Amino acid sequence: MNLELTATQQALRKEFRSFVDTELLPYANAYDKEGYIPLELIQQLGEQGYLGATLPVEYGGRGMDQLSYGLLNEEIGRACSSTRSLITVHTSLTAETILRWGTKGQKEHWLPLLARGLKLAAFGLSEPDAGSDTAGIKTSYTEQNGSYELNGVKKWITFAQIADLYVIVARGEQGITAFLVERNTPGLTIKPMEGILGTRASMIAEIHLKHCVVPAENILGRKGWGLPQIVNTALDNGRYSVACGSLGIARACLEDSIQYARTRQQYGQLLKDHQLTKQKITNMVTEVKAATLLCRNAGFLRDKKDPDSIIQTSLAKYHASRIANTVAADAVQLHGALGCHDSLSIQRYFRDARVMEIIEGSTEIQQILIADHSIAGLDTIL
Amino acid sequence: MDTTTQAGARTIIREFLRKRVGQDIQFNDAEDIFAAGLVNSLFALELVVFLEQSFDITVENEDLNLQNFSTVENLEAFILKKKDK
Ligand SMILES: Cc1cc2nc3c(=O)[nH]c(=O)nc-3n(C[C@H](O)[C@H](O)[C@H](O)COP(=O)(O)OP(=O)(O)OC[C@H]3O[C@@H](n4cnc5c(N)ncnc54)[C@H](O)[C@@H]3O)c2cc1C
């Protein structure tokens, strides 16, 4: 396995870094405080092709490989996890899933719009009473004259406040099924949510569906295969994005910590020269390196379309989201009071990191998946 | 697909399933691995990626039918049918 970046991947990373440093990082704390990301930024992301990064060029995407897409998520995540969340739900969960399982008509209609960010997409799975246990969803569909009526409530849906297209997962006589539902469908209303701990600009909302009727051609995937086919594909895609985004958080914390340790003096010497600081930096850098390798490994296997990529993506997400938390906690500690204040980004990274262990399958759900695979045989893991 | 590759397909399928359910769990080629509860929630997706990568086929929406995927024998028949198309 060669995890070295190709010249193209290195050039893309340079492009992402430059975009992030000029267009995103300087404003990310303000977005967090205000609770939204501006439409101008979304437009820019669309123009750069970052909302359709992995979509084929024929659909208006940039046709990037998975490893490059991981780098994009890492760089965006380094600056703003709310913006990275948009990419996760729009590109990974929805557009890539439509690309994989959509009908010809669904692909031809939606992918060019999503690739350029002319329309935004969100993924509606969770509900007030169903989170990890996805089979427990209550949102229902009933078939009537070849159409489907949806009823129920989706909760915590990232960017639902401004999305134009929702994947809605619902239960009914033929089993759990996914539907494409447009924002302007009669009976669909959006209730913005406030007060979230992290990714505060990710514009989460509830989606209320009341006698919401969609035609049969809006079924995404096979009827009754909503969980094993659509949700599993979407979450696998989303996990890769969140893994790399979490790595971005951790790297930002590490870089800021080193910078601070180089300039802050206590007891007559710079923090970087205190031995306990060296220990902290060493622990942080080791964790970041390990997460980098797991993310690159997942990207490499995803590009090869290797079946082990699925569990390796889970492993990368599990590790990267956990170390984002430990590294962010160390960064707060190293910055002292400043680490607790919103004049710096550290407190935001600390809060955003918490969310990473909950979304796209919580830490405990990853533990179940990884342990089961390991117990069956270590070949797929090691 | 000729008979040699047919025999190869069955071996490749068995090998993949062994890795997923565990070396010490016994199952025969006619046994329903889903009904026996031998696999976890990620398995169906892993199986699809495995079939596409190993046999150079594309699994379509209409192929998603538990019958196609439930046993080693059915998986082999499914691959042969896709290859014949
Ligand atoms: C900021 C944010 C954005 C989100 N965006 C979206 C979105 O866009 N779309 C969407 O559909 N959902 C979204 N979610 C919801 C998210 O997917 C769920 O929060 C997640 O699946 C966990 O579900 P829950 O919160 O109901 O927790 P629960 O499932 O109730 O779990 C509570 C705790 O119990 C643990 N637990 C659960 N089952 C087990 C078990 N078997 N063994 C051990 N421990 C277990 C969990 O790990 C967790 O720690 C978002 C959530 C957040 C916070």
Side-chain angles (χ1 to χ4, degrees):
Chain A
M1 173 178 24
N2 177 8
L3 297 179
E4 210 178 310
L5 301 181
T6 63
T8 311
Q9 288 162 347
Q10 285 181 35
L12 281 169
R13 182 166 66 179
K14 206 166 158 205
E15 174 199 312
F16 305 151
R17 281 192 176 161
S18 154
F19 176 85
V20 164
D21 286 343
T22 53
E23 307 298 335
L24 192 52
L25 191 54
Y27 313 106
N29 284 340
Y31 300 159
D32 180 71
K33 268 189 204 160
E34 286 156 11
Y36 69 91
I37 63 172
L39 286 175
E40 295 75 39
L41 172 66
I42 296 174
Q43 218 169 354
Q44 268 180 309
L45 293 169
E47 284 161 9
Q48 292 287 126
Y50 295 163
L51 295 175
T54 49
L55 296 181
V57 175
E58 74 242 40
Y59 291 120
R62 281 195 59 180
M64 283 179 209
D65 58 22
Q66 287 286 316
L67 218 143
S68 304
Y69 183 55
L71 298 174
L72 174 66
N73 280 275
E74 182 185 333
E75 290 305 325
I76 303 252
R78 175 172 66 84
C80 177
S81 290
S82 293
T83 306
R84 199 269 312 134
S85 291
L86 173 64
I87 291 179
T88 303
V89 298
H90 175 91
T91 310
S92 295
L93 289 173
T94 309
E96 287 187 341
T97 306
I98 293 177
L99 176 69
R100 176 62 188 89
W101 293 114
T103 61
K104 190 164 176 278
Q106 288 167 347
K107 287 194 245 192
E108 283 174 357
H109 178 71
W110 284 111
L111 295 183
L113 296 170
L114 299 178
R116 290 279 148 193
L118 301 174
K119 298 279 181 188
L120 293 181
F123 198 88
L125 174 62
S126 304
E127 299 183 357
D129 296 327
S132 307
D133 181 10
T134 50
I137 55 166
K138 291 182 181 153
T139 295
S140 67
Y141 69 85
T142 45
E143 190 174 357
Q144 33 176 265
N145 310 321
S147 294
Y148 291 83
E149 182 182 304
L150 298 166
N151 285 288
V153 178
K154 295 293 176 183
K155 193 170 180 180
W156 312 110
I157 310 306
T158 298
F159 283 98
Q161 289 183 26
I162 53 169
D164 306 283
L165 174 70
Y166 305 96
V167 174
I168 297 292
V169 186
R171 65 182 322 111
E173 255 184 18
Q174 288 135 314
I176 292 180
T177 301
F179 296 85
L180 295 174
V181 185
E182 291 188 55
R183 187 189 186 93
N184 59 8
T185 310
L188 184 150
T189 47
I190 298 298
K191 294 202 171 149
M193 295 175 68
E194 285 179 358
I196 198 78
L197 170 74
T199 61
R200 294 186 72 119
S202 62
M203 305 178 89
I204 60 172
E206 292 183 359
I207 305 172
H208 290 248
L209 303 141
K210 226 176 185 176
H211 308 301
C212 205
V213 178
V214 295
E217 61 256 31
N218 286 26
I219 290 178
L220 178 60
R222 182 124 171 132
K223 227 190 280 178
W225 280 69
L227 292 182
Q229 181 193 17
I230 300 303
V231 170
N232 273 352
T233 301
L235 290 183
D236 174 52
N237 296 339
R239 269 172 203 153
Y240 180 57
S241 167
V242 172
C244 299
S246 300
L247 170 61
I249 296 176
R251 230 188 69 223
C253 289
L254 172 63
E255 287 171 3
D256 288 4
S257 295
I258 289 175
Q259 188 56 31
Y260 190 64
R262 278 192 187 131
T263 53
R264 173 74 172 172
Q265 270 211 343
Q266 286 296 288
Y267 295 99
Q269 56 179 348
L270 293 167
L271 283 187
K272 76 174 177 62
D273 295 323
H274 290 279
Q275 288 197 335
L276 283 172
T277 307
K278 290 181 199 284
Q279 182 194 40
K280 232 180 223 92
I281 299 288
T282 303
N283 288 342
M284 291 165 96
V285 82
T286 309
E287 295 292 27
V288 171
K289 183 70 184 179
T292 303
L293 292 174
L294 286 172
C295 287
R296 297 270 200 283
N297 175 54
F300 170 79
L301 292 172
R302 295 175 77 79
D303 280 322
K304 269 179 54 187
K305 302 202 186 306
D306 188 313
D308 291 348
S309 67
I310 295 162
I311 196 65
Q312 292 294 341
T313 298
S314 172
L315 202 60
K317 192 274 178 180
Y318 173 66
H319 187 70
S321 61
R322 289 199 338 152
I323 67 103
N325 279 274
T326 54
V327 172
D330 276 349
V332 170
Q333 194 67 17
L334 196 138
H335 282 78
L338 262 183
C340 303
H341 193 260
D342 68 6
S343 51
L344 292 190
S345 303
I346 300 293
Q347 47 78 35
R348 177 168 57 85
Y349 297 140
F350 182 72
R351 287 183 287 104
D352 288 348
R354 282 312 306 141
V355 172
M356 301 308 118
E357 280 200 64
I358 291 167
I359 55 173
E360 256 61 43
S362 67
T363 284
E364 289 74 15
I365 297 306
Q366 307 305 328
Q367 285 168 338
I368 293 169
L369 297 173
I370 295 164
D372 282 351
H373 262 75
S374 308
I375 292 163
L378 286 170
D379 288 1
T380 56
I381 303 270
L382 297 181
Chain B
M1 201 184 254
D2 60 30
T3 45
T4 336
T5 43
Q6 260 185 45
R10 200 175 271 225
T11 310
I12 296 169
I13 297 165
R14 278 202 207 110
E15 175 75 7
F16 171 78
L17 293 178
R18 281 252 147 269
K19 274 199 198 168
R20 261 50 193 188
V21 305
Q23 299 293 343
D24 49 345
I25 294 177
Q26 300 303 318
F27 62 94
N28 62 44
D29 288 356
E31 192 166 341
D32 186 332
I33 46 177
F34 287 90
L38 295 178
V39 290
N40 72 7
S41 63
L42 286 186
F43 177 73
L45 185 58
E46 289 179 327
L47 183 60
V48 167
V49 178
F50 157 73
L51 292 172
E52 294 191 332
Q53 191 213 31
S54 301
F55 301 103
D56 195 24
I57 56 174
T58 304
V59 177
E60 316 275 359
N61 279 322
E62 52 274 19
D63 298 325
L64 296 177
N65 174 345
L66 265 190
Q67 178 74 14
N68 281 337
F69 300 149
S70 56
T71 69
V72 173
E73 284 171 0
N74 292 358
L75 280 162
E76 185 192 45
F78 170 69
I79 293 159
L80 293 178
K81 196 176 73 193
K82 290 292 282 188
K83 282 282 187 192
D84 262 3
K85 270 188 188 169

